[in-house]
Amino acid sequence: MQRFGGAATHMEQSFNREVLDRLTYLAGSREAAEEMACVPALRPFDSRVTDFLDGLSRTLMRDPRSRAYPDVATFAFWIRRGSTENLRKHHEKEDGNIRLGRGTAFHIAPSNVPVNFAYSLASGLLTGNRNIVRIPTKDFPQTDIICQAVNRTLEEYGEMKPYIVLVRYGRDREINDVISAMADIRIVWGGDKTIAELRKSQLPPRSTEVTFADRYSLAVIDGDAYLDTEDKEKTAVDFYNDTYLTDQNACTSPRIVVWTGEKKAEAKEMFWRKLHQVVKEKYPFQGIQAVNKLTSSCLAAVRMPGVKTEPHEDNLIIRVAVEKAAADLMELKDNSGYFFEYDCKNLLEIKPLCDDKRCQTISYIGKKKMLLPLLRSGIKGVDRIVPVGKTMDFGLLWDGYDLAAQLTRVISC
């Protein structure tokens, strides 16, 4: 691409326009994408943004289809005015400096979490940025519901149109190159391979990047505390939402359940029985998933001594008991209801699993303080500690990043 005096030549502009015409626009247009550089960045939590997000929340809540998708309803709840006001109070800095969005944010959403693109968009808006969001080519009903709601809401809040462009395209290096060259910040979800591919596309020298690499998560359950839980049906639904709602593909989904307490056997029997009832009622199960899980359990038995597959009524839940929390255990993980299970007396026994930068979230049943010795032991991994049922609750503190800080720039005054 030829440049003269720091300005793009007509040849480059024509090439960019041709490339941008290859995108499918679910919200916004090629013209809006081209003109983004001329749109001013906003201050974080600008009232125009919070008004729009509150309107989007109402639009989603009124859509009867949202009731069928808890993840859509949760997103709508997260962007309502009361929630964004709490975020503002938590993240707003009163130090005399001026904060603005970095400019144009290029978001690359993952293919395995249907509503992730919406949270990424909302984060970009709340921090004052213009946003081009690449939505995965995989079709999800949730994606359609949210994109349609965005377009309907933009008709009422037209001043937000220059800040939102939602696009879909397949793997295309030229498109990545063009949008990356426009970006002041690039937010890459989707794992190691996606990050490696996007890094082939250069950012401008003053631009920056936030990446969300491959991660895994685990659950720690105090069996005694679980048995004391009054509403075990709700606990089962909560754990189902943490795992089966995304086919256990989300980085937040527990892959191993660690049991502690005196009554582990009794707690396990009840916990898995209650979960099985929920899965049997809610989860659309396919034969290939059963084959994959059984294959994975056989491979685990070959590679790790002492592995035992627990008895199961059907293939909706596969539990593989392991004798130790080995550092390489997650190399053998699977999804769609495939769980490693480990009994421990001291939670420091799972330090090898947590002493890995890929370890993201620990969800728990019991008292949070039981995890403190592990967290204070100097582990390299673990960015989040949340109760079971809250693993997918998004926040501007995510994966160890403070997105309110990462997505803004500071004018020192």
Side-chain angles (χ1 to χ4, degrees):
M1 297 183 186
Q2 300 178 24
R3 288 182 176 273
F4 181 76
T9 66
H10 176 72
M11 183 183 299
E12 182 181 7
Q13 291 172 340
S14 298
F15 174 77
N16 290 353
R17 188 169 292 115
E18 177 186 331
V19 170
L20 293 174
D21 275 336
R22 301 211 297 262
L23 280 64
T24 299
Y25 292 87
L26 285 73
S29 63
R30 187 256 292 162
E31 290 77 15
E34 282 187 311
E35 294 168 6
M36 271 194 168
C38 301
V39 177
L42 302 174
R43 298 185 70 173
F45 302 101
D46 186 285
S47 61
R48 288 165 288 186
V49 170
T50 55
D51 287 349
F52 166 76
L53 290 175
D54 192 57
L56 178 59
S57 176
R58 293 195 303 271
T59 302
L60 287 168
M61 289 297 193
R62 287 195 296 263
D63 191 327
R65 296 175 297 172
S66 296
R67 302 189 193 108
Y69 300 99
D71 46 355
V72 174
T74 299
F75 171 69
F77 189 77
W78 190 74
I79 59 172
R80 77 198 194 288
R81 190 179 306 282
S83 176
T84 57
E85 177 62 16
N86 286 335
L87 288 171
R88 184 192 65 77
K89 290 177 181 178
H90 185 76
H91 290 282
E92 196 170 56
K93 308 291 184 184
E94 296 183 0
D95 53 10
N97 296 320
I98 296 174
R99 285 170 171 79
L100 296 168
R102 286 189 175 272
T104 298
F106 177 25
H107 308 251
I108 299 89
S111 61
N112 58 356
V113 183
V115 301
N116 177 278
F117 82 92
Y119 283 106
S120 197
L121 168 66
S123 300
L125 289 170
L126 287 169
T127 49
N129 292 284
R130 312 175 292 261
N131 301 271
I132 300 177
V133 185
R134 178 191 174 188
I135 295 174
T137 54
K138 184 176 181 179
D139 286 325
F140 290 107
Q142 297 98 311
T143 302
D144 294 337
I145 292 169
I146 294 173
C147 287
Q148 290 166 16
V150 166
N151 282 309
R152 288 198 297 272
T153 309
L154 284 173
E155 291 306 309
E156 183 178 353
Y157 298 90
E159 60 191 345
M160 291 306 300
K161 286 184 178 181
Y163 293 88
I164 300 172
V165 173
L166 306 180
V167 299
R168 178 173 276 157
Y169 63 93
R171 295 182 180 180
D172 192 314
R173 171 70 182 277
E174 283 187 335
I175 296 177
N176 290 338
D177 287 348
V178 168
I179 304 179
S180 293
M182 298 164 56
D184 297 288
I185 184 166
R186 186 167 62 192
I187 303 103
V188 186
W189 306 79
D192 297 357
K193 291 182 178 178
T194 302
I195 293 168
E197 183 62 31
L198 265 294
R199 282 183 172 167
K200 296 175 184 176
S201 300
Q202 291 188 3
L203 290 167
R206 280 279 296 166
S207 296
T208 188
E209 183 178 58
V210 177
T211 59
F212 297 94
D214 289 335
R215 309 297 298 274
Y216 62 79
S217 297
L218 56 146
V220 174
I221 302 178
D222 180 336
D224 303 340
Y226 170 73
L227 291 173
D228 288 339
T229 302
E230 291 187 8
D231 195 344
K232 294 180 177 61
E233 285 73 21
K234 180 181 182 302
T235 300
V237 171
D238 285 344
F239 191 79
Y240 174 91
N241 290 341
D242 283 349
T243 51
Y244 286 84
L245 206 59
T246 59
D247 290 328
Q248 214 177 352
N249 283 318
C251 58
T252 58
S253 296
R255 304 284 189 167
I256 177 171
V257 178
V258 178
W259 290 93
T260 187
E262 298 298 323
K263 301 176 182 178
K264 299 183 191 72
E266 182 182 350
K268 279 195 255 184
E269 190 281 328
M270 183 171 292
F271 177 84
W272 294 114
R273 175 164 51 84
K274 294 288 187 182
L275 179 65
H276 184 266
Q277 293 170 357
V278 175
V279 176
K280 196 170 184 177
E281 177 185 346
K282 291 175 171 282
Y283 190 59
F285 193 66
Q286 301 178 24
I288 187 63
Q289 293 172 304
V291 173
N292 289 342
K293 289 193 289 184
L294 291 172
T295 300
S296 294
S297 60
C298 291
L299 290 172
V302 169
R303 291 184 53 178
M304 292 186 298
V307 162
K308 182 181 73 171
T309 301
E310 299 289 355
H312 48 279
E313 178 181 332
D314 49 37
N315 294 319
L316 293 176
I317 300 174
I318 297 294
R319 299 158 51 201
V320 179
V322 296
E323 289 187 338
K324 63 178 182 177
D328 61 349
L329 184 60
M330 289 298 101
E331 304 299 330
L332 301 170
K333 66 183 184 293
D334 205 333
N335 52 38
S336 307
Y338 182 85
F339 301 95
F340 290 111
E341 205 167 13
Y342 176 67
D343 291 359
C344 78
K345 296 180 180 178
N346 186 329
L347 285 176
L348 288 176
E349 295 169 28
I350 66 171
K351 185 175 178 180
L353 273 176
C354 302
D355 200 25
D356 186 321
K357 292 180 181 179
R358 294 175 299 171
C359 186
Q360 189 214 51
T361 299
I362 297 180
S363 55
Y364 65 91
I365 295 175
K367 294 182 178 178
K368 182 166 59 175
K369 67 180 182 180
M370 69 179 172
L371 297 165
L372 293 181
L374 173 66
L375 301 177
R376 291 169 176 163
S377 67
I379 51 177
K380 298 174 184 175
V382 184
D383 294 316
R384 302 172 66 231
I385 304 293
V386 297
V388 162
K390 301 292 185 180
T391 66
M392 295 186 69
D393 286 8
F394 188 77
L396 293 179
L397 292 176
W398 192 261
D399 252 18
Y401 291 114
D402 182 348
L403 294 178
Q406 294 280 341
L407 274 61
T408 55
R409 68 183 186 92
V410 183
I411 303 173
S412 179
C413 297

